[in-house]
Amino acid sequence: MATVRRFEHGSRVPGWDEAADLTKDPAVVPDPASTPVPEDLRYEIEAYVARYPDVRSASIPALFAVQRWHGWCSPTAIEQAACVMRLTPAYLTSVATFYDMLETEPKGEHDVYVCTNISCSLRGGDQVYEAMLSAGGDDPSFNIRSFECLGACDIAPMASVNGIYVGPLDEDDCRTIVEDLKAGRTPLDAKQIRHRPQATSLTAEGPPAVDRVDVASGPSASGNDTFGNKDM
Amino acid sequence: MTSVAAGQAGAQPDQIQILFHEIDRPGLASLDVYRDLGGYAMLKRALTEMTPEAVLAELQASGVRGRGGAGFAMGKKASFLPKGDMDKYLVCNADESEPGTFKDRELMQKTPHTLIEGLAISAYAVGANRAYIYIRGEYALQADVLEDALIEAKAAGYVGERIFGSDFSLELWVHRGAGAYICGEETALLDSLEGKRGNPRLKPPFPAINGLYGGPTLINNVETLMNAPHILKMGGAEFAKIGTETSTGTKVVSVSGCVRRPGNYEVVLGTPSRHIIEGLAGGAPEGRSIKAWFPGGSSAPVLPGTDEMLDLPYDFDSLAKAGSMLGSGAIIVIDDSIPIVDVALKTAKFYRHESCGKCTPCREGTNWTVKMLERVETGEATPMDLDIMASVCEQMMGNCLCVLADAMAMPIGSMIKHFREEFEAHIEAARERNGLGIAMPDTVNRGAHAGPEDLLGEPAYAGAAEAH
Ligand SMILES: Cc1cc2nc3c(=O)[nH]c(=O)nc-3n(C[C@H](O)[C@H](O)[C@H](O)COP(=O)(O)O)c2cc1C
Ligand code: SF4
Ligand code: FES
């Protein structure tokens, strides 16, 4: 599970005895004169803003843009987005903290989301997550997270590697993915989702008849006939 | 059933392919190939030969029901939008985060122009001039494909000012989400699209009256909108003849979990569930049998894998009558090697993580259900916890702003209902592993103890064990 960050006492909010810093003034809409924003970044955000009747609608696209630029939604990144959009940093922070894909703490450059939701777990997703951690967990350039259903349970167990869906995965694949990323290659090309044909075309004999049938044993053409360890 | 072929002996209901027709044709995602197959002809007919009212009438006649979860008739929902000159919006729900669901992904990736055409036709029918496709942020490939298709469609004049020389203009953008299941809920989606945290809104007012930026808004799922060009082509009345009387058309069903051939299969609504699970998807792996299945994504109550349940026609009403729902049309199969407690815990953890936290029963109920299920796993629970869990589920249902709370309560409640014996055996086995001894319900004195700690502590247990 991608876990919600909680304080030691288990809650999502700071404890009653942790006072807010009252000596600091609340941050206002950043002043363009004292908030340098890279030219390209500003153009990109302004293009997003133009798509909507209300500037705030561009919050998510703008936060993605600064995250791509700075590596994460750092205070500087949020301030730059706020400056272009004429919003307070607090507003954008409230948005950034809501969504799983916007990260408000430094992260590795390679995003590896391993799905550990139901359908993937039924086919060994939790083991794949462990294997991914042992393959690349020590490398600070990797951001390996367990994730909720990524909408590709047909290739379960699967992962999203820098946005590219790959599966079905086994432990060897995890090592290959880590090596591919380190070498700057596109990850596990053969198992990327863009190659996957319609499911009915995956069996040579076509769909079996309507009544209960004995489907020929042995791996199907889809290659995901094997089951991982089923302990969830 | 007044279906065409569904359910009748010898029929091949999956041979009718509407949305998956030619789906793997090379280049279908490009405008040229799509147009060669007759693409955008229906948009042209709608804009040049039909009034918006006539298009709306065809959509209503088709009886097509929403493919996103609730199954509300699309034409009817569209007819709720007020007439007049105000700004109206159309939003396509491409958030697809319901565990087990992956149909929109394949459809958008392979035939993005069908979605754009369906959107434009529907927008014309309700008089919306601005439309957004809200796609989950994880679907990077599909969003790129859609954006490329959109550029082509804009260049060809199918989206933009005065399409086909008519008075109708449409501005359309792809909007990427950033990872939050709750943004699939229609009002949370609107808040997210307005650039806020994705919290659901109080209903009514419904989006059809007061939606995006306060304007009348039609929200439909990807698959629902993709049916629009086909409805115009066939005619609404003809479309309504496919499937059953109240569940018309075909459905792309995502089958996953313990089956041999997971994947998307397009079937006529009303096809026996067994045909989908065992015929198309190949059934449970060698030597195993189906213990339970989610008929409509992880939010649907599970059904046991009995012959009676597997023979249910796969349509909205038959599944509702059996105590579950068609939902997003995603079947997750669980075989007999999987402990049901593990599935329950996974499910509950997902909803705890995704609860937006606005309503107390949902925020607390999901959290405590997870805690109780963890106690079942670790061997600290007693069968009384099952009763508490069932009552928590009961109290969550219908008491919150949105149905995410129900979406956890229904599957968990149904698992306890259908598999109570397995839960109890699991509890006893785990207690034994922990050296705690049995915990029969009659040793639990509910009135005498304030909390579960006491009941589980050494003295209570020691006495209980001696009494047996
Ligand atoms: C918690 C929750 C999550 C939902 N997620 C989705 C989703 O991912 N995709 C979707 O199309 N509908 C989803 N829905 C259903 C929508 O609220 C809405 O009913 C649907 O988009 C309407 O479109 P339709 O009538 O075409 O089905 C969700 C509902 C809830 C309560
Ligand atoms: S039911 Fe849950 S997810 Fe829905 S609004 Fe309430 S707290 Fe949020
Ligand atoms: S459960 Fe892993 S992609 Fe759906």
Side-chain angles (χ1 to χ4, degrees), chain A residues 197-209:
Chain A
Q198 186 187 358
T200 38
S201 64
L202 287 172
T203 37
E205 72 276 23

Side-chain angles (χ1 to χ4, degrees), chain B residues 12 15 25 106 149 152 163 188 265 289 320 428:
Chain B
Q12 287 287 339
Q15 303 248 312
R25 187 175 181 121
E106 186 159 2
E152 282 183 311
I163 305 167
Y265 298 95
S289 61
E428 298 296 358

Side-chain angles (χ1 to χ4, degrees), chain B residues 224-431:
Chain B
T224 318
L225 291 169
M226 281 197 175
N227 273 304
H230 299 287
I231 291 169
L232 287 197
K233 196 179 210 160
M234 274 183 234
E238 208 48 40
F239 185 93
K241 289 185 190 156
I242 307 171
T244 74
E245 207 164 336
T246 51
S247 302
T248 59
T250 62
K251 179 83 191 73
V252 180
V253 186
S254 306
V255 192
S256 67
C258 308
V259 287
R260 294 177 207 228
R261 286 189 298 277
N264 286 315
Y265 298 95
E266 181 170 15
V267 298
V268 171
L269 282 164
T271 300
S273 306
R274 186 191 294 286
H275 173 63
I276 305 170
I277 298 173
E278 296 185 341
L280 295 171
E286 191 71 33
R288 307 229 180 100
S289 61
I290 298 171
K291 173 149 91 182
W293 51 296
F294 289 91
S298 73
S299 304
V302 300
L303 294 174
T306 56
D307 282 346
E308 186 198 350
M309 293 299 169
L310 289 174
D311 286 334
L312 282 172
Y314 197 75
D315 63 61
F316 288 98
D317 297 314
S318 304
L319 291 169
K321 246 182 255 151
S324 188
M325 60 188 208
L326 188 134
S328 55
I331 297 178
I332 307 172
V333 176
I334 297 154
D335 75 24
D336 55 359
S337 70
I338 309 286
I340 201 79
V341 179
D342 293 359
V343 180
L345 183 56
K346 269 282 174 208
T347 311
K349 275 187 174 165
F350 169 73
Y351 291 101
R352 175 178 72 164
H353 177 237
E354 300 296 342
S355 166
C356 83
K358 212 171 173 182
C359 321
T360 311
C362 171
R363 184 187 62 240
E364 298 300 317
T366 50
N367 192 27
W368 284 103
T369 304
V370 168
K371 289 195 181 186
M372 282 186 280
L373 283 167
E374 276 169 351
R375 288 162 39 131
V376 171
E377 286 281 19
T378 55
E380 293 166 8
T382 71
M384 194 181 101
D385 288 83
L386 298 178
D387 294 328
I388 300 176
M389 245 187 285
S391 96
V392 166
C393 289
E394 215 175 289
Q395 292 172 58
M396 288 168 73
M397 288 172 67
N399 289 334
C400 296
L401 266 177
C402 84
V403 293
L404 184 135
D406 305 56
M408 188 216 76
M410 290 190 296
I412 303 294
S414 69
M415 283 182 222
I416 296 175
K417 182 173 138 210
H418 292 300
F419 299 98
R420 187 169 179 116
E421 279 171 20
E422 189 184 330
F423 274 93
E424 287 181 355
H426 198 103
I427 289 173
E428 298 296 358
R431 287 179 67 88

Side-chain angles (χ1 to χ4, degrees), chain A residues 146-198:
Chain A
S146 70
F147 227 74
E148 303 299 3
C149 178
L150 286 156
C153 327
D154 44 350
I155 54 165
M158 58 78 63
S160 162
V161 180
N162 284 336
I164 298 170
Y165 280 23
V166 287
L169 301 177
D170 56 30
E171 298 190 6
D172 288 340
D173 291 331
C174 296
R175 283 188 287 276
T176 314
I177 288 170
V178 169
E179 281 161 20
D180 280 346
L181 289 182
K182 281 183 180 160
R185 284 188 297 264
T186 162
L188 211 62
D189 187 63
K191 289 194 179 182
Q192 291 185 7
I193 195 131
R194 63 194 168 92
H195 301 306
R196 188 176 161 88
Q198 186 187 358

Side-chain angles (χ1 to χ4, degrees), chain B residues 70 99 103 117 122 124 130 366 444:
Chain B
K103 62 191 175 69
E117 185 176 5
S122 311
Y124 177 66
R130 235 177 216 279
T366 50
V444 176

Side-chain angles (χ1 to χ4, degrees), chain A residues 57-87:
Chain A
S57 283
S59 297
I60 293 178
L63 285 165
F64 268 131
V66 296
Q67 174 161 300
R68 274 193 297 275
W69 196 276
H70 294 273
W72 59 293
C73 288
S74 63
T76 314
I78 287 185
E79 206 168 312
Q80 291 180 351
C83 177
V84 179
M85 296 176 74
R86 311 310 297 144
L87 296 169

